[in-house]
């Protein structure tokens, strides 16, 4: 990385952005390649990496050969927290549990056979009193005497024909309802779609027409009788009228099957596919209102700039990051009208390269996750088809975005569960893309060699303890206030010591930092701070002499107070000195410089510039010092972001390993992050890496939590308590043995038991509402498959989603 023109001093100040270090050109269009840069003169071999081609872009972002305008026009409807919005299609309504296919077919067959038997008995006169209802509503002279007497006149025969047709219709309707033929048709015919639906309906229509004209179904004769009774029998003297009546009957029989088979829709679809639309007639209305036409610029009167960006998109010279960056720049410019004209002129002059990130990058060298830069989402997985997940969330993509990360995220899982590869790195990658769009700043902290991204994907890379590092870290957070520096430094040094009050430690540090800064104009370096905390006489005498020579009497009183309290009971100075000694090692020689020529990187720059910063900690050789530095960076981040006055940039701290980094003060700071447009992502191997007194406060401070597969039941219990309970409906079935009183019934029960081997029982079903945990501790420990995690999300506005079982594919 470029050290901004300074050699011999690591870092950059808070008010200066590190210079550009151009990445190798990406290999996947339509991203615009940036000019390649060779190794920086004088760089160490650690900073020089060969160019490695990145993987092909996923389908949810501009893919090779796919234009950005198609990606830009893809709908992104507002959805519940965590739903991957790019091209989201809601699932069909949930269907209630139905009977099995076997039961459905058996029921339909039994209903059909019963109807045929009943109709056969009717036609053959085996049903008594079958004509009684008809005789009640017709004249008696039409019928022979007796309840079973048939028709005497022609009118009686016609009435019987119509009566049988009505009864047949009622029988067919009842058979269809009892046999659930509609569900059978939907499952096995309609769900197969076209053209099977149309062909099946046509076959059924042909069979029905054959049965109708063979008079197996009472349709033709009843219709002719009714027409004759209304219009008179003379109507049949005209062959044309008879043909018309037959045609109407055929059409009436055919119409229901045409509706069921959706013949009209099928024909219309075939005609629409066969007839090509005239050139330009279909695309013109969509292009007039599409997002790639930049309607916001046209509305403001900058049609030339909009035409320039449209041409850049159509020709493939812009990528998704360019679109998001220019949209954000235009939004900021509209708040200050004096910036509109310069931005529009820059667009006319440089096109999609206008309003570039200070590094000059227009994309990351490679991406490993699916991103939608327009909404800031990164897809980390897919909700599993599991009963714990609501129906509408099963199978949908799960994504993270700043609105969710603003509530902070806690991820817990054992080593190898996939926290870094499937969650941490995609989040860092998404925030880096958002930083290139000018909308975020990210600080990623992990051990040396952690896969948080390549060096050329960051603006600042700090390798603590490595002599080839071009940047350094400011232990005091870039502040000039001794009290503020002492409070943050004390939290980082001894915040994890439960028996030591961090406020007393901050007082001790302030009693030394204030006088030293007054005497020398800067804070002490690590060796000097260690000597002062140890109470070395020479160091204290030299500091006193400098204060007396400069006339700093107030600071002399501070130094005298420190001298009086030194060595007393409960003095935190020895503990502070022991912790500072962890940083006063040969491996850290030259780091944490504070002299007038030193320019260490300060976290205050994260609140002023869209920076991408990565800090590599020497966890292997200096594990305790790495934990101290992680705790210090977390304390600095929460203090600095809370004091920001301009919260336009989303600032996020990502800790790949937050073991022993969380303290009571940082938990309070994490709670304040959501109100200042900032967030923190913390990864732990177990919740026990945090002091027990902070388990509940930490889970209550973060809005998003993730429990990976393989956690213990103790961790699962804490998550289950944090996620609460829900009301569920339970069914309890109790089987009771049936005791028969009659001899014949007892014989039947004995025969059934002999055949089945089971006693005759009856089921008593009890349905009730009970309150149960959303996920129990045992389920979290043993029911979460490998490669999965249970994730609970919440937004800064207060919306939340229930804990979801997610298959992580990030």
């Amino acid at each position: 990385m470029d050290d901004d023109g300074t050699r011999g001093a690591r870092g950059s100040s808070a008010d200066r952005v590190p210079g550009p270090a151009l990445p190798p050109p990406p290999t996947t269009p339509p991203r615009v390649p940036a000019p390649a840069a060779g190794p920086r003169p004088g760089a160490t071999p650690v900073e020089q990496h060969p160019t490695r081609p990145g993987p092909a872009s996923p389908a949810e972002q501009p893919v090779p050969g796919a234009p950005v305008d198609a990606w830009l026009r893809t709908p992104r409807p507002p959805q519940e927290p965590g739903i991957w919005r790019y091209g989201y299609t809601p699932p069909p309504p949930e269907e209630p549990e139905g009977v099995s296919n076997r039961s459905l077919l058996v029921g339909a067959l039994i209903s059909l056979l019963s109807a045929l038997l009943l109709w056969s008995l009717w036609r053959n006169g085996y049903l008594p009193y079958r004509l009684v209802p008809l005789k009640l509503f017709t004249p008696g002279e039409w019928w022979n005497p007796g309840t079973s007497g048939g028709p005497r006149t022609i009118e009686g025969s016609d009435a019987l024909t119509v009566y049988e047709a009505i009864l047949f219709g009622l029988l067919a309707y009842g058979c269809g309802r009892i046999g659930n033929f509609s569900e059978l048709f939907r499952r096995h015919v309609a769900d197969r779609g076209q053209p099977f639906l149309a062909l099946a309906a046509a076959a059924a229509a042909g069979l029905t027409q054959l049965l109708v004209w063979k008079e197996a179904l009472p349709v033709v004769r009843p219709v002719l009788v009714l027409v004759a009774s209304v219009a008179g029998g003379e109507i049949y003297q005209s062959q044309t009228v008879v043909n018309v009546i037959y045609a109407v009957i055929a059409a009436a029989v055919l119409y229901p099957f045409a509706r069921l088979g959706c013949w009209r829709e099928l024909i219309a679809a075939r005609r629409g596919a066969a007839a090509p639309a005239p050139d330009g007639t279909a695309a013109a209305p969509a292009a007039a209102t599409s997002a790639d036409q930049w309607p916001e610029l046209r509305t403001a009167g900058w049609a030339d700039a909009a035409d320039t960006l449209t041409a850049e998109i159509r020709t493939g010279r812009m990528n998704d990051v360019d679109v998001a960056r220019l949209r954000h720049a235009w939004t900021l410019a509209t708040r200050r009208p004096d910036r509109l004209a310069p931005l529009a002129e820059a667009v006319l002059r440089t096109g999609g390269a206008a309003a570039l990130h200070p590094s000059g990058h227009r994309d990351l060298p490679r991406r490993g996750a699916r991103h939608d830069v327009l909404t800031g989402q990164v897809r980390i997985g897919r909700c599993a088809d599991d009963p714990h997940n609501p129906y509408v969330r099963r199978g949908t993509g799960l994504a993270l975005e700043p609105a969710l990360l603003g509530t902070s995220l806690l991820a817990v899982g054992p080593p190898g569960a996939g926290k870094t590869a499937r969650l941490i790195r995609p989040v860092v990658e998404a925030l880096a893309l958002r930083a290139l769009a000018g909308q975020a700043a990210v600080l990623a902290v992990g051990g040396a060699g952690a896969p948080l991204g390549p060096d050329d994907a960051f603006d600042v890379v700090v390798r603590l303890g490595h002599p080839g590092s071009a940047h350094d870290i400011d232990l005091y957070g870039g502040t000039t206030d001794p009290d503020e520096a002492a409070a943050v430094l004390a939290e980082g040094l001894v915040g994890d010591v439960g028996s030591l009050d961090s406020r007393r430690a901050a007082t001790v540090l302030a009693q030394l930092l204030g006088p030293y800064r007054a005497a020398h104009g800067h804070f002490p370096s690590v060796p000097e701070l260690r000597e002062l905390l140890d109470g070395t006489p020479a160091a204290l005498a030299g500091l006193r002499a400098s204060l007396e020579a400069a006339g700093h009497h107030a600071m002399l009183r501070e130094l005298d107070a420190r001298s009086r309290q030194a060595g007393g009971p409960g003095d935190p100075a020895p503990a502070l000195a022991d912790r500072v000694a962890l940083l006063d090692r040969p491996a850290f020689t030259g780091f944490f410089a504070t002299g007038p020529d030193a320019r260490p990187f300060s976290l205050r720059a994260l609140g002023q510039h869209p920076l991408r910063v990565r800090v590599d900690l020497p966890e292997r050789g200096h594990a305790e010092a790495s934990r101290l530095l992680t705790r210090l960076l977390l304390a600095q981040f929460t203090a600095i972001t809370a004091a920001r006055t301009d919260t336009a940039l989303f600032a996020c701290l990502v800790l790949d390993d937050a073991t022993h980094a969380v303290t009571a003060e940082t938990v309070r700071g994490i709670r304040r992050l959501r109100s200042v447009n900032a967030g923190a992502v913390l990864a732990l191997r177990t919740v026990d890496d945090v002091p027990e007194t902070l388990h509940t406060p930490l889970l209550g401070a973060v809005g998003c939590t993730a429990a990976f597969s393989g956690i213990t039941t103790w961790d699962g219990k804490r998550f289950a308590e944090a996620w609460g309970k829900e009301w569920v409906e339970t069914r309890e079935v109790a089987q009771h043995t049936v005791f028969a009183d009659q001899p014949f019934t007892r014989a039947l029960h004995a025969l059934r038991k002999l055949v089945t081997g089971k006693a005759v029982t009856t089921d008593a079903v009890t349905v009730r509402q009970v309150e149960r945990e959303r996920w129990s501790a045992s389920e979290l420990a043993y029911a979460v498959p490998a490669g999965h995690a249970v994730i609970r999300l919440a937004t800064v506005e207060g919306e939340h989603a229930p804990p979801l079982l997610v298959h992580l594919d990030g």
Side-chain angles (χ1 to χ4, degrees):
M1 301 296 290
D2 191 356
D3 59 0
D4 206 20
T6 60
R7 298 299 300 162
R10 303 181 182 90
S12 67
S13 61
D15 56 352
R16 185 185 295 267
V17 180
L22 303 181
T27 60
T28 57
R31 303 189 182 110
V32 180
R40 176 172 50 82
T44 61
V46 178
E47 299 178 78
Q48 302 177 8
H49 295 277
T51 302
R52 294 191 296 266
S57 304
E60 284 77 2
Q61 59 195 25
V63 297
V68 180
D69 55 352
W71 167 83
L72 189 57
R73 289 196 302 266
T74 302
R76 298 165 175 83
Q79 294 297 326
E80 296 180 1
I83 290 183
W84 176 249
R85 293 167 51 191
Y86 180 82
Y88 173 77
T89 302
E94 183 178 9
E95 298 180 0
E97 293 186 7
V99 295
S100 63
N101 290 331
R102 179 179 178 181
S103 300
L104 192 63
L105 291 172
V106 171
L109 181 60
I110 292 175
S111 176
L112 179 61
L113 294 177
S114 301
L116 291 176
L117 176 62
L118 188 61
W119 181 246
S120 177
L121 294 175
W122 168 270
R123 294 296 300 269
N124 293 300
Y126 289 106
L127 295 180
Y129 310 107
R130 64 190 185 95
L131 298 181
V132 172
L134 179 61
K135 292 181 179 181
L136 292 176
F137 296 96
T138 54
E141 59 269 14
W142 290 3
W143 309 98
N144 292 320
T147 56
S148 60
R152 179 189 298 177
T153 63
I154 296 177
E155 291 82 359
S157 298
D158 294 342
L160 180 59
T161 300
V162 176
Y163 179 59
E164 287 182 347
I166 294 175
L167 290 180
F168 179 82
L170 294 176
L171 181 63
Y173 176 77
C175 174
R177 291 296 301 271
I178 295 175
N180 204 1
F181 278 85
S182 60
E183 178 67 15
L184 185 66
F185 174 81
R186 186 191 64 80
R187 285 192 191 182
H188 299 281
V189 181
D191 287 351
R192 295 192 178 185
Q194 299 288 9
F196 181 82
L197 175 60
L199 294 176
L207 178 62
T208 305
Q209 290 281 6
L210 179 63
L211 296 177
V212 166
W213 296 112
K214 290 292 185 179
E215 296 191 2
L217 300 180
V219 176
V220 178
R221 286 176 56 84
V223 171
L224 296 177
V225 169
L226 289 175
V227 172
S229 63
V230 174
E234 295 81 4
I235 192 173
Y236 295 122
Q237 296 178 359
S238 173
Q239 186 62 35
T240 303
V241 173
V242 174
N243 293 337
V244 170
I245 294 175
Y246 285 163
V248 170
I249 294 175
V253 173
L254 195 62
Y255 177 75
F257 296 97
R259 290 289 302 273
L260 290 175
C262 301
W263 293 353
R264 177 184 297 180
E265 291 80 358
L266 179 62
I267 294 174
R270 294 298 176 88
R271 287 180 177 177
D279 295 340
T281 57
T289 56
S290 60
D292 64 323
Q293 293 290 314
W294 300 86
E296 59 271 18
L297 272 69
R298 299 182 186 278
T299 304
W302 296 97
D304 294 342
D307 292 338
T308 300
L309 294 179
T310 302
E312 292 269 305
I313 290 178
R314 296 292 173 84
T315 56
R317 293 196 297 268
M318 284 183 64
N319 61 7
D320 51 351
V321 178
D322 294 332
V323 173
R325 186 186 69 251
L326 290 174
R327 281 177 173 266
H328 179 67
W330 183 262
T331 302
L332 295 180
T334 53
R335 300 174 185 173
R336 297 185 59 179
D338 57 315
R339 295 184 178 180
L340 290 176
L343 178 60
E345 292 175 359
V347 169
L348 292 174
R349 185 174 61 257
T350 60
L356 269 181
H357 185 264
S359 66
H361 297 179
R362 298 174 66 177
D363 199 356
L364 296 180
R366 52 188 172 272
R367 304 184 188 183
R370 304 175 183 178
H371 300 274
D372 184 18
V373 187
L374 205 60
T375 58
Q377 287 190 317
V378 53
R379 190 181 187 275
I380 63 171
R382 173 181 51 83
C383 295
D385 187 5
D386 187 84
H388 286 93
N389 294 342
Y391 171 77
V392 295
R393 300 302 296 267
R394 297 174 190 173
T396 61
L398 189 82
L400 296 176
E401 57 184 310
L404 299 171
L405 298 178
T407 63
S408 297
L409 170 65
L410 176 65
V412 178
K419 299 189 301 297
T420 300
R422 301 184 179 185
L423 180 64
I424 299 299
R425 175 161 181 171
V427 168
V428 173
E429 201 172 84
L431 293 171
L433 288 172
R434 202 160 181 82
L436 291 178
Q439 304 176 45
V442 57
L443 171 62
V445 181
L452 299 180
D455 293 352
D456 42 10
F458 295 90
D459 303 311
V460 176
V461 177
V462 182
R463 296 185 178 89
L464 293 175
H466 196 288
S469 178
H471 297 276
D472 195 0
I473 282 291
D474 187 356
L475 285 181
Y476 304 99
T479 183
T480 58
D481 184 1
D483 293 327
E484 181 181 353
V488 175
L489 185 58
E491 195 65 32
L493 292 176
V494 294
D496 61 328
V497 182
S499 59
L500 189 62
D501 188 359
S502 60
R503 291 174 295 182
R504 292 192 59 187
T507 302
V508 170
L509 287 173
Q511 291 173 343
L512 296 174
L513 297 181
Y516 190 95
R517 179 172 178 79
H520 301 281
H522 58 83
F523 291 120
S525 62
V526 170
E528 293 168 336
L529 180 60
R530 180 183 180 183
E531 292 180 353
L532 293 174
L533 289 172
D534 282 333
T536 305
L540 293 176
L543 179 58
R544 182 181 299 275
S546 300
L547 292 174
E548 291 176 349
H552 295 290
H553 301 290
M555 293 304 171
L556 282 172
R557 290 195 297 270
E558 287 284 292
L559 192 60
D560 292 339
R562 170 84 290 266
S563 300
R564 289 193 302 269
Q565 297 170 3
D571 182 18
L576 290 171
D578 292 341
R579 290 299 177 88
V580 172
L582 296 174
L583 303 179
D584 189 17
R585 306 296 302 163
F588 298 112
T589 301
F591 284 88
F592 316 118
T594 59
D597 298 331
R599 296 177 58 208
F601 173 77
S602 172
L603 266 63
R604 293 187 180 274
L606 293 174
Q608 303 172 11
H609 308 288
L611 290 177
R612 302 165 295 166
V613 183
R614 194 188 78 205
V615 178
D616 294 344
L617 301 175
E619 289 184 343
R620 294 182 179 178
H622 304 274
E624 194 62 31
S626 298
R627 294 175 181 177
L628 186 153
L629 291 170
T630 302
R631 192 164 52 249
L632 178 62
L633 291 173
L634 178 58
Q636 286 186 0
F637 180 82
T638 55
I640 290 172
T641 53
R644 287 193 304 170
T645 56
D646 183 8
T647 59
L649 278 178
F650 176 73
C652 188
L653 169 66
V654 181
L655 297 182
D656 184 47
D657 185 7
T659 303
H660 300 295
V662 179
T663 64
E665 185 60 33
T666 53
V667 168
R668 286 189 286 267
I670 290 174
R671 288 198 187 101
R672 296 191 294 265
L673 291 179
R674 66 178 65 190
S675 62
V676 292
N677 195 24
V681 179
L682 311 177
L684 295 171
R685 295 181 178 88
T686 174
V687 182
D688 289 331
D689 289 339
V690 177
E692 186 176 0
T693 56
L694 298 178
H695 290 174
T696 300
L698 177 60
L699 289 173
V702 298
C704 304
T705 48
F708 283 71
S709 61
I711 65 172
T712 63
T713 52
W714 293 274
D715 289 343
K717 179 181 179 181
R718 298 181 182 97
F719 280 109
E721 292 175 351
W723 291 339
K725 300 180 180 180
E726 63 179 345
W727 289 98
V728 297
E729 183 180 277
T730 61
R731 295 170 59 89
E732 297 179 357
V733 180
Q735 292 185 342
H736 303 284
T737 304
V738 178
F739 298 97
D741 296 331
Q742 302 299 325
F744 181 72
T745 307
R746 286 199 299 270
L748 289 178
H749 287 184
L751 179 61
R752 179 176 175 181
K753 184 177 181 180
L754 181 63
V755 173
T756 62
K758 297 180 180 180
V760 180
T761 59
T762 181
D763 294 341
V765 181
T766 303
V767 180
R768 60 179 179 175
Q769 295 283 337
V770 297
E771 194 176 19
R772 287 185 177 175
E773 294 175 332
R774 300 178 185 271
W775 280 84
S776 67
S778 298
E779 289 175 331
L780 290 172
Y782 302 110
V784 179
H788 290 66
V790 181
I791 301 177
R792 188 255 186 187
L793 301 174
T795 66
V796 292
E797 289 83 9
E799 299 182 50
H800 59 86
L804 302 170
L805 178 63
V806 181
H807 175 253
L808 300 170
D809 54 12

